[in-house]
Amino acid sequence: MRNTHATQLIFELSTAGRSGVNLPACDVPEQPREQWIPAELLNAESPELPEVTEPEVIRHFTNLSTLNMSVDTHYYPLGSCTMKYNPKRNERIAGWDGFAQLHPYQSEDSIQGMLQLLFELQQMLGEISGLPAVSLQPAAGAHGELAALMVASAYFKELGETRTKVLAPDSAHGTNPASARMAGFDFVTIRSQADGRVDLDHLRENLGDDTAVFMITNPSTLGLFDDQVQQIADLVHEQGGLIYLDGANMNAILGIARPGDFGADMMHFNPHKTFSGPHGGGGPGAGPICVTDTLRPFLPNPTVSYCQDSQAYYLDTGDDKSIGRVRSFFGNVGVLVRAYCYIRTHGPDGLKRVSEMAVLNANYLLSQVKEFLDVPHGDRCMHEFVASAEPIKEKTGLKQPAMDIAKRLLDYGFHPPTVYFPLTVHEGLMMEPTETESKQTLDAFAEVLKTIVNEPAETLQSAPHSTSIRRPDEVQAARQPIVKWTEATD
Ligand SMILES: *Cc1c(COP(=O)(O)O)cnc(C)c1O
């Protein structure tokens, strides 16, 4: 698999005099640049650009694109991220000129189609969530959390209340505490019980008239549906607080349970997880939020409305209580177009079936994995489950068996599961197969995992053996990326 050609820089492929284009001969008299461009704006020397032919360019970038794993090239059971296959048809439609070539400053009457699509998407997300007031503006799930917490803040301010605390269970995604702090709240972690559900006693101890919001991910990142959620909502509401549902795991309950019906006041969707938006590489994603009618006036503006009289869609700046814009123009519209296509393609019954199949696939994989790995909460799961490689420590002496297994999976051509998250499971491997995988793929993955668990410690410790980059320091790699491959970075 090592592909050294692709790890050369395109500058290293350069040969003086080569060109990727054939321009016709100049048929007008040549004139010196200095005649048209002021001397101080001209470079003394030509820029050093790679001189390469078209096939060299194509091979270079095609090879580069295969250095990483992707949903289109590999099985990708990355828990909590819902790496389902994204139908190419949605990509094609989002690329149509009528969508992709619009300018956000066009007049409303010239973008009626786009406004209709966004209006209908608002309605569909309102229906799926059971929370009728929708803003499509936020640009990611985490951004949706922040926007909704700002909505909560504005709501409490309107009531004349000072509420300083946001609470969430210890299995929460790191974005929950981060959003709470960015929105100006103090953050309190609520313990989970041994069975993975929220510890109600610890919640009661921390609830008070200073509680603004309880954030809950349900089903949780452990792949468990907390059946106490309505009771939790009652407890929080009795204290005047609001429930925020982190909707990253909606792939498990589409058309089956609605957050608005089980007590949520606000939530976000991750269309790049649930509704087939391309996912990873830093975005763009989207994080539409849905809230109750009570909170509607505080939503970011504008939203999209329909005027019966003029029979036209328009950008509605709504109430002066709005928290204002959280994103330029209408948000990341390309992702929203794909979400619209996905939802309309499946329809209500199809979406329900998506979730049923996602849960079935996860339970099928779970039934195999628990034969050779520990699965702490593993009788049944929703769309994902968290296995633990803790027992392997003792058997092999490995210090970080979850990491070693993850790295070794790369040699077998599988993207690893999410590791070391949530923090409540030691040596956690969080697997989310999604509904788009076949039984054969799940069987093959389980088989490889079983093989790896029984391989010698040295093999695991030194894995991966077949990739161009072996084990980079992940923090340094993110902060100070060295994009040029050398033996030293191996
Ligand atoms: C992915 C995820 C988020 C954050 O969503 P982004 O779109 O990546 O910002 C929040 N909570 C949970 C549980 C997630 O899985």
Side-chain angles (χ1 to χ4, degrees), residues 79-82 139-145 171-176 217 219-221 246-249 268-273 279 285-287 384 421 430 432:
S80 192
C81 295
T82 315
H143 194 203
E145 293 171 26
S171 60
H173 197 273
T175 51
N176 291 186
T217 311
S220 71
T221 49
D246 180 329
N249 295 338
H268 76 259
F269 281 95
N270 301 63
H272 44 291
K273 295 179 180 172
H279 188 170
E384 66 191 355
F421 176 70
M430 180 197 238
E432 179 178 11

